[in-house]
Amino acid sequence: MIDLDENKKGITEFINNSISRFQTEYGLPTSIGIYCCPWSGWITTNFNIKTKLTETENNCPDFDFVEYDYMEIPEWEDEYESENPEFKTSGLVKRVNHDLGDEVFNKIIFDYLKPIVAEIKEQKDSIFLIQMLDSNFEIVL
């Protein structure tokens, strides 16, 4: 079982550090994409400075700066590939049934990332997109 809350600090630091480094190198982004593939255990930051989010059709791979930073979380992939994957967040254990496909796990991580990114957004003057790879889960904050 993976306790996702143990990753919160690292993910928050990764996103904040990536934004700070980007701003130092390129200036203020107009939009920031958080692109994630939970079942492969990675998160990337993506930035627009010229392109509007609507021009990308809410698709991180179409941002001006794609995969600007990359964070690996291999324990997510390892747990997901186990016989009976379990992920704990906010004290609740959620099980992933492989027979139902990747969307079950995508939803767990999507719901987990939303409040993390919303908290970061409070300090930033930008639009954020959270998008799961090959998934219907996305939101603009």
Side-chain angles (χ1 to χ4, degrees):
M1 179 176 60
I2 297 291
D3 187 344
L4 295 172
D5 294 332
E6 292 175 2
N7 296 126
K8 183 179 179 182
K9 181 180 178 188
I11 291 169
T12 301
E13 287 176 356
F14 163 72
I15 295 170
N16 278 323
N17 290 340
S18 182
I19 293 169
S20 293
R21 189 167 67 84
F22 183 86
Q23 288 177 337
T24 298
E25 293 176 11
Y26 300 101
L28 288 174
T30 57
S31 54
I32 301 168
I34 308 302
Y35 196 41
C36 180
C37 181
W39 35 272
S40 288
W42 56 259
I43 299 173
T44 65
T45 54
N46 308 267
F47 297 93
N48 281 325
I49 56 172
K50 295 178 183 175
T51 306
K52 293 180 181 175
L53 185 59
T54 53
E55 293 174 304
T56 69
E57 297 182 5
N58 293 351
N59 188 31
C60 287
D62 293 329
F63 275 41
D64 296 331
F65 294 83
V66 177
E67 294 184 9
Y68 178 78
D69 273 330
Y70 183 90
M71 178 182 190
E72 288 187 273
I73 311 172
E75 60 267 22
W76 288 6
E77 180 180 18
D78 293 344
E79 181 66 21
Y80 180 71
E81 291 178 354
S82 72
E83 183 99 12
N84 296 301
E86 296 180 328
F87 296 88
K88 182 179 176 183
T89 183
S90 302
L92 298 173
V93 176
K94 299 178 181 184
R95 291 170 180 80
V96 176
N97 180 342
H98 290 294
D99 294 337
L100 300 176
D102 297 332
E103 283 293 79
V104 173
F105 189 35
N106 285 338
K107 180 170 177 26
I108 291 169
I109 299 301
F110 181 74
D111 290 343
Y112 167 72
L113 288 175
K114 281 192 297 188
I116 294 171
V117 175
E119 187 175 311
I120 292 169
K121 180 183 173 38
E122 290 178 15
Q123 309 300 316
K124 309 296 179 193
D125 186 24
S126 191
I127 297 168
F128 282 77
L129 168 68
I130 304 171
Q131 181 183 22
M132 301 290 110
L133 175 71
D134 295 337
S135 172
N136 292 320
F137 291 106
E138 68 176 51
I139 189 170
V140 175
L141 302 175

